[in-house]
Amino acid sequence: MDAIPIPRTLAAALASARRVVALTGAGVSAESGVPTFRDAQTGLWARFDPRELATPAAFERHPGLVWNWYAERREALGRVSPNPGHYALADIERRVPAFLLATQNVDGLHGRAGSRAMVELHGNLARTRCSREGRIVSRWDAPRDGEPPRCPHCSAFLRPDVVWFEEMLPADALARAEEEARRADLMIVAGTSAEVYPAAALPRYAKGAGAVLVEVNPHETPLSRFADHVLRAPSGVALPGLVSSAWPVGGGAK
């Protein structure tokens, strides 16, 4: 897709912004070839509803099945790379005085692109934690056939460090995102319809505090009518264009 025009007022608002928050969703990663949750229901997994694989009850009933589903998704992530939208957000972080990226994605692509000031609202598929104590575990013995590996500290099953249906978002990550949204003077919402709470409240907090609200999405969403600027394009096109408009070549970082 060709570059899209960036309003001068938006470029100026980003270039002068002191506090920027970005909220990203599955659309950003889809451009890298990461399947959405339901798109991943193929082959062996086509007969399963996502709620059969992504709830605490499902893990309790069929721990091996759930572990293997996520292990396959984790392996698939090794075959994809960050796209220009990921890199553009990392670039914005380096250029503004204060920045926070709140992502609903669990694929770790933002981190691989260089984002550091970040909260992962739904966890990270690359991490594994104890299902009983919650501690992050990086090493474990080979599991028995058909079972997840067990925690080396308490012998409970290990599970992916992601937020399942019926679970709360990590309180500290959500609190930080809410605080920064209320303090932002510009917020970018990319690749998400921002309909599912509590993350959906973040753009409302920013808008209520007077921030310039920017939506980046090739499709109209319920958020579109509240946004000050709508860039109707994929984030891999719109975000690099926004960066180059705000900081033309030779402009340098703040």
Side-chain angles (χ1 to χ4, degrees), residues 1-6 10 31 84-85 88 92 190 214-218 230-245:
M1 183 176 180
D2 294 334
I4 62 169
I6 303 297
L10 172 55
E31 295 177 53
I92 293 173
V214 185
E215 181 183 52
V216 178
N217 202 306
V230 176
L231 301 182
R232 193 63 76 216
S235 62
V237 173
L239 291 176
L242 178 56
V243 171
S244 63
S245 296

Coordinates of all heavy atoms in Angstrom, one line a residue, residues 1-6 10 31 84-85 88 92 190 214-218 230-245:
M1 N 0.8 -1.2 0.0 CA 0.0 0.0 0.0 C 0.9 1.2 0.0 O 1.9 1.3 0.7 CB -0.9 0.0 1.2 CG -1.9 1.2 1.3 SD -3.0 1.1 2.7 CE -4.0 2.5 2.5
D2 N 0.5 2.2 -0.8 CA 1.3 3.5 -0.9 C 1.2 4.3 0.4 O 0.2 4.1 1.1 CB 0.9 4.3 -2.1 CG 1.2 3.6 -3.4 OD1 2.1 2.8 -3.5 OD2 0.4 3.9 -4.4
A3 N 2.1 5.2 0.6 CA 2.0 6.1 1.7 C 0.8 6.9 1.7 O 0.2 7.2 0.6 CB 3.3 7.0 1.7
I4 N 0.3 7.3 2.8 CA -0.9 8.1 2.9 C -0.6 9.5 3.4 O 0.5 9.7 4.1 CB -1.9 7.5 3.9 CG1 -1.4 7.4 5.3 CG2 -2.3 6.1 3.4 CD1 -2.4 7.0 6.3
P5 N -1.4 10.5 3.1 CA -1.1 11.9 3.5 C -1.3 12.0 5.0 O -2.2 11.4 5.6 CB -2.1 12.7 2.8 CG -3.2 11.8 2.4 CD -2.6 10.5 2.2
I6 N -0.4 12.7 5.7 CA -0.5 12.9 7.1 C -0.8 14.4 7.4 O -0.1 15.3 6.9 CB 0.9 12.6 7.8 CG1 1.3 11.2 7.5 CG2 0.7 12.9 9.3 CD1 0.4 10.1 8.1
L10 N -1.5 17.1 12.7 CA -1.1 15.9 13.5 C 0.4 15.7 13.6 O 0.9 15.4 14.7 CB -1.7 14.6 12.8 CG -1.3 13.3 13.3 CD1 -1.6 13.2 14.8 CD2 -2.0 12.2 12.5
E31 N -0.1 -7.8 10.4 CA 0.7 -7.4 9.3 C 2.1 -8.1 9.2 O 2.8 -8.1 8.2 CB 1.0 -5.9 9.3 CG -0.3 -5.1 9.2 CD 0.0 -3.6 9.4 OE1 0.9 -3.1 8.7 OE2 -0.7 -3.0 10.2
P84 N 7.2 -2.7 9.9 CA 7.5 -1.2 10.0 C 6.7 -0.5 11.0 O 7.1 0.5 11.6 CB 7.2 -0.7 8.6 CG 7.5 -1.8 7.7 CD 7.0 -3.0 8.4
G85 N 5.4 -1.0 11.3 CA 4.6 -0.4 12.4 C 5.3 -0.5 13.7 O 5.3 0.4 14.6
A88 N 8.3 1.8 13.9 CA 7.9 3.2 14.0 C 7.5 3.5 15.5 O 7.9 4.6 16.0 CB 6.7 3.5 13.1
I92 N 9.3 6.4 17.8 CA 8.6 7.4 18.6 C 9.1 7.5 20.0 O 9.3 8.5 20.6 CB 7.1 7.3 18.5 CG1 6.6 7.5 17.1 CG2 6.4 8.3 19.4 CD1 5.1 7.2 16.8
A190 N -3.7 1.8 17.6 CA -3.4 1.2 16.3 C -3.7 -0.3 16.4 O -3.4 -1.1 17.3 CB -1.9 1.3 16.0
V214 N -5.5 9.7 18.2 CA -5.2 9.3 16.8 C -5.5 7.8 16.7 O -5.0 7.0 17.4 CB -3.7 9.5 16.5 CG1 -3.4 9.2 15.0 CG2 -3.2 10.9 16.9
E215 N -6.4 7.5 15.7 CA -6.7 6.1 15.4 C -6.0 5.7 14.1 O -6.0 6.4 13.1 CB -8.2 5.9 15.2 CG -8.5 4.4 15.0 CD -10.0 4.1 14.7 OE1 -10.6 4.8 13.9 OE2 -10.5 3.2 15.4
V216 N -5.3 4.6 14.2 CA -4.7 4.0 13.0 C -5.3 2.6 12.8 O -5.1 1.7 13.5 CB -3.1 3.8 13.2 CG1 -2.5 3.2 12.0 CG2 -2.5 5.2 13.5
N217 N -6.1 2.5 11.7 CA -6.8 1.3 11.4 C -7.4 1.4 10.0 O -8.0 2.4 9.6 CB -8.0 1.1 12.5 CG -8.4 -0.3 12.6 OD1 -8.7 -1.0 11.6 ND2 -8.5 -0.8 13.8
P218 N -7.2 0.3 9.2 CA -7.8 0.3 7.9 C -9.3 0.3 7.8 O -9.9 0.5 6.8 CB -7.2 -0.9 7.2 CG -6.8 -1.8 8.3 CD -6.5 -0.9 9.5
V230 N -7.9 10.3 12.1 CA -8.1 8.9 11.7 C -7.2 8.6 10.5 O -7.4 9.3 9.5 CB -9.5 8.5 11.4 CG1 -9.6 7.1 10.9 CG2 -10.4 8.7 12.6
L231 N -6.2 7.7 10.7 CA -5.4 7.3 9.6 C -5.9 6.0 9.1 O -5.6 4.9 9.7 CB -3.9 7.2 10.0 CG -3.3 8.5 10.6 CD1 -1.8 8.3 10.9 CD2 -3.5 9.7 9.6
R232 N -6.6 6.0 8.0 CA -7.3 4.8 7.5 C -6.4 4.0 6.6 O -6.4 3.9 5.4 CB -8.6 5.2 6.7 CG -9.5 4.1 6.5 CD -10.1 3.5 7.7 NE -11.1 4.4 8.3 CZ -11.3 4.5 9.6 NH1 -10.5 3.8 10.5 NH2 -12.3 5.2 10.1
A233 N -5.4 3.3 7.3 CA -4.4 2.5 6.7 C -3.8 1.5 7.7 O -4.0 1.7 8.9 CB -3.3 3.4 6.1
P234 N -3.2 0.5 7.2 CA -2.5 -0.4 8.2 C -1.4 0.3 8.9 O -0.8 1.3 8.4 CB -1.9 -1.5 7.2 CG -2.6 -1.4 6.0 CD -3.1 0.0 5.8
S235 N -1.1 -0.1 10.1 CA -0.1 0.6 10.9 C 1.3 0.6 10.3 O 2.1 1.5 10.5 CB -0.1 0.0 12.3 OG 0.3 -1.4 12.3
G236 N 1.6 -0.5 9.5 CA 2.9 -0.6 8.9 C 3.1 0.4 7.8 O 4.2 0.7 7.4
V237 N 2.0 1.1 7.4 CA 2.0 2.2 6.4 C 1.9 3.5 7.1 O 2.7 4.4 6.9 CB 0.9 2.0 5.3 CG1 0.9 3.3 4.4 CG2 1.2 0.8 4.5
A238 N 0.9 3.6 8.0 CA 0.5 4.9 8.6 C 1.6 5.4 9.6 O 1.9 6.5 9.6 CB -0.8 4.8 9.2
L239 N 2.1 4.4 10.4 CA 3.0 4.9 11.5 C 4.3 5.4 11.0 O 4.8 6.4 11.4 CB 3.1 3.8 12.6 CG 1.9 3.5 13.4 CD1 2.1 2.3 14.3 CD2 1.5 4.8 14.2
P240 N 5.0 4.7 10.1 CA 6.2 5.2 9.5 C 6.0 6.6 8.8 O 6.8 7.5 8.9 CB 6.7 4.2 8.5 CG 6.1 2.9 9.0 CD 4.7 3.3 9.6
G241 N 4.8 6.7 8.2 CA 4.5 8.0 7.5 C 4.3 9.1 8.6 O 4.8 10.2 8.3
L242 N 3.7 8.8 9.7 CA 3.5 9.7 10.7 C 4.9 10.2 11.3 O 5.1 11.4 11.6 CB 2.6 9.1 11.8 CG 2.4 10.0 13.1 CD1 1.8 11.3 12.7 CD2 1.4 9.2 14.0
V243 N 5.8 9.2 11.5 CA 7.1 9.5 12.1 C 7.9 10.4 11.1 O 8.5 11.4 11.6 CB 7.9 8.2 12.4 CG1 9.3 8.6 12.8 CG2 7.2 7.5 13.5
S244 N 7.9 10.1 9.9 CA 8.7 10.9 8.9 C 8.1 12.3 8.7 O 8.8 13.2 8.4 CB 8.8 10.1 7.6 OG 7.5 10.0 7.0
S245 N 6.8 12.4 8.9 CA 6.1 13.7 8.8 C 6.4 14.6 10.0 O 6.6 15.8 9.9 CB 4.6 13.6 8.6 OG 4.3 12.9 7.4

